[in-house]
Amino acid sequence: MSEKKKRRHLLRTIILTILTAAVVYTLYANFTKDKHEKIAVGDQAPDFVLMDMEGNKHKLSDYKGKGVFLNFWATWCKPCEREMPYMDNQYQAFQKQGVEILAVNVGQPEFSIKKFVEKYDLTFPILKDSNKDVMGVYDIYNLPATILINPEGKIVEIIEGELPEEKIIAMMESIKP
C-alpha cells in the first residue's frame, strides 16, 4: 500500500472514530439525564439559594411559614416594568402579614438591575439568577412569571404575564399565613 493510501485510510479511521464517539455520547447523555418533571400546582416548590443586590443569601426554604410571591423578571421586559410598582405597593401592605416578595432577575448585569431598582424605588429583595439556573428549574420561558408559594412551601398558582394591582392583592391574600 502506498504512503498516500495509508494516510487516507488513517484519516478516515480517525474521522469515523470521532463520529462514532459523538453518536455514542449523545445517546448516553439522552438516556442517562435526569428526567426533570415540569413543576405544577400542588408540588413542593424547588429550593434554591440566590444572592440579592446587597450580597445577602436568600434560600427559599428559609421562608417556610410565610407566603412567597416569587416573580421572575428582566429590566427590558415592559410588562415587568409596569407591574413592579404595584408589587412594591403590596409588599409594603403585606410584608407585616407574613407575605414576602422574591423578585428574581434573570441573567442581567448588576448595573442594569441597580438602575431599574433605583428608578422605581423598589424595597423588596431583588435576587440575581445570573446563569438562569433557577429560571430553568422553575420552567420559566416567558417574562414576567409569578409563582405563588404557600406557607407550607407548596406551589399554589403559576402565572405568566403582566399582573394588574387588583390581581396582585388577591394573590397575596391567598398565600397569607
Side-chain angles (χ1 to χ4, degrees):
M1 198 185 290
S2 73
E3 188 64 33
K4 193 174 184 180
K5 283 186 179 181
K6 284 181 183 178
R7 253 191 269 146
R8 195 175 333 140
H9 180 69
L10 178 63
L11 185 60
R12 286 179 182 163
T13 304
I14 291 171
I15 291 171
L16 185 60
T17 304
I18 291 170
L19 288 173
T20 302
V23 168
V24 169
Y25 174 76
T26 302
L27 291 172
Y28 173 78
N30 282 328
F31 288 119
T32 61
K33 71 180 179 184
D34 291 340
K35 298 295 180 207
H36 176 65
E37 298 271 331
K38 186 172 173 124
I39 63 164
V41 170
D43 290 351
Q44 190 69 28
D47 202 10
F48 62 83
V49 178
L50 290 174
M51 301 290 274
D52 66 18
M53 298 299 291
E54 286 77 44
N56 302 312
K57 284 185 181 179
H58 292 262
K59 185 174 183 180
L60 181 62
S61 57
D62 289 345
Y63 290 92
K64 204 160 210 141
K66 294 184 174 197
V68 177
F69 186 98
L70 180 62
N71 181 266
F72 292 86
W73 68 284
T75 60
W76 50 261
C77 166
K78 291 299 178 190
C80 301
E81 193 172 346
R82 289 189 293 269
E83 75 181 7
M84 283 288 180
Y86 302 146
M87 287 168 49
D88 198 65
N89 290 343
Q90 298 317 311
Y91 179 68
Q92 301 298 326
F94 282 90
Q95 184 186 22
K96 290 177 179 66
Q97 298 177 51
V99 177
E100 287 290 332
I101 290 181
L102 297 178
V104 179
N105 179 275
V106 290
Q108 294 193 278
E110 195 162 323
F111 175 77
S112 300
I113 302 169
K114 193 174 230 171
K115 275 182 51 179
F116 186 94
V117 170
E118 288 170 0
K119 178 179 179 182
Y120 293 100
D121 195 27
L122 302 175
T123 57
F124 48 79
I126 304 292
L127 310 183
K128 300 176 294 184
D129 187 12
S130 304
N131 298 324
K132 301 181 182 180
D133 294 334
V134 176
M135 183 182 181
V137 167
Y138 278 84
D139 295 312
I140 303 299
Y141 298 102
N142 300 311
L143 298 178
T146 302
I147 314 265
L148 294 183
I149 303 167
N150 70 16
E152 292 77 43
K154 300 250 187 229
I155 296 172
V156 175
E157 193 172 354
I158 302 169
I159 306 100
E160 286 187 351
E162 182 178 352
L163 299 169
E165 192 160 17
E166 302 77 40
K167 176 77 173 161
I168 293 171
I169 293 168
M171 292 165 73
M172 290 196 169
E173 280 289 342
S174 76
I175 57 173
K176 269 193 332 191

